[in-house]
Amino acid sequence: MRGNLDFSSWSGLASTLFGLILISLIAVGIRLIFMQTIQRRRERENRQINERLRTLIAAYKTLGGSFTGELAVDPSHLGQLRQVEISMDEAENANGLTPAGGEGGPAVTSSERRRRIRDTVEASLSDVILLGTDEQVRLAAHAATEMVAGRKVELAELVVSLRNFIRQALDLAPIPLSLIIPSQGPLRPSTSGGRGGGGDKGGGMDGGMGAGIGAGVGANLGHESAEPTGTPPDEAHR
């Protein structure tokens, strides 16, 4: 390197300085491009992590939002539920009894409520299958298979897996083993809501999460790789 430096004349000194400056600018430019590429990649990974975590948190709130009442999901479709209610009403009429609540009363409301729970659970299971860990995908696929077969599904094991994963991703201390948490079941939607309570419950959470999640969970989820809504089923599916 020293042999290439020429300080014998002003022109040699100028060319030497120009060469050094040019080499320095090229090195700085390569460094800046490299740093920007890494920064864009990290920002993209953080956005993906944020979206994944928001979706899994919403699924957790839907699948495990209840501690009391019926914690199993009834996979029956609306037509099947109404058929059961009609049979019960006919049996009551044959015995000279009046159906509770009269025509279209609490029985229809109960069927609609079970249908909404089923719809929100199906949407949440789909999100877990898409973005969950291997264990969560296995549990969600098993629950979906049971629902397709027409059997009631308990979601407590999947809820525990989601809870442990989310707390680990947020760098929270694990829940002590000595602390007993009751079994959790699907969130019961409000009977006055037009689209079920699951979507509203998850929607209010998005604004509070923000983009600050990625900074705390990027290192924890880097090796792992829309918010679920309680969308009603198509009329044909009913």
Side-chain angles (χ1 to χ4, degrees):
M1 180 67 182
R2 182 174 298 179
N4 295 329
L5 301 178
D6 184 9
F7 297 101
S8 60
S9 62
W10 286 107
S11 60
L13 178 62
S15 61
T16 300
L17 291 177
F18 178 78
L20 292 175
I21 293 173
L22 181 60
I23 293 174
S24 300
L25 290 176
I26 293 175
V28 171
I30 294 175
R31 178 181 175 85
L32 289 176
I33 293 175
F34 184 72
M35 293 178 62
Q36 289 179 357
T37 301
I38 293 178
Q39 183 177 3
R40 285 196 295 268
R41 181 179 301 175
R42 287 178 177 176
E43 290 176 352
R44 183 174 63 253
E45 291 176 353
N46 286 339
R47 287 195 297 269
Q48 294 172 350
I49 291 170
N50 288 345
E51 185 64 26
R52 180 189 185 190
L53 196 56
R54 280 198 296 266
T55 301
L56 292 180
I57 289 176
Y60 170 81
K61 294 168 74 69
T62 299
L63 300 177
S66 176
F67 291 94
T68 59
E70 180 62 41
L71 301 183
V73 183
D74 188 351
S76 302
H77 295 292
L78 185 59
Q80 296 172 325
L81 295 174
R82 286 177 175 172
Q83 185 63 37
V84 172
E85 290 161 3
I86 291 174
S87 301
M88 294 176 60
D89 291 343
E90 291 177 351
E92 290 176 349
N93 291 332
N95 294 331
L97 301 176
T98 302
E103 182 180 0
V108 175
T109 302
S110 177
S111 298
E112 178 69 14
R113 189 173 187 177
R114 288 196 296 269
R115 184 186 66 83
R116 291 178 181 176
I117 292 176
R118 186 206 67 206
D119 292 343
T120 56
V121 167
E122 286 181 346
S124 297
L125 290 177
S126 177
D127 289 331
V128 173
I129 292 175
L130 177 64
L131 299 175
T133 62
D134 292 342
E135 179 187 12
Q136 293 161 9
V137 170
R138 177 178 57 80
L139 294 173
H142 174 72
T145 302
E146 293 294 304
M147 293 181 67
V148 170
R151 293 186 288 269
K152 290 189 175 182
V153 181
E154 294 283 348
L155 302 171
E157 187 176 359
L158 176 58
V159 170
V160 171
S161 179
L162 286 171
R163 181 175 64 222
N164 294 337
F165 174 77
I166 293 170
R167 290 185 65 87
Q168 180 182 2
L170 295 176
D171 200 19
L172 299 175
I175 297 178
L177 297 177
S178 59
L179 181 62
I180 299 177
I181 299 179
S183 297
Q184 295 173 249
L187 179 70
R188 294 189 295 273
S190 173
T191 55
S192 61
R195 295 175 60 87
D200 297 338
K201 191 76 174 178
M205 176 273 304
D206 269 347
M209 293 302 296
I213 299 176
V217 302
N220 294 327
L221 291 181
H223 66 281
E224 287 284 351
S225 295
E227 176 178 340
T229 58
T231 306
D234 298 332
E235 293 298 328
H237 185 58
R238 295 185 185 179

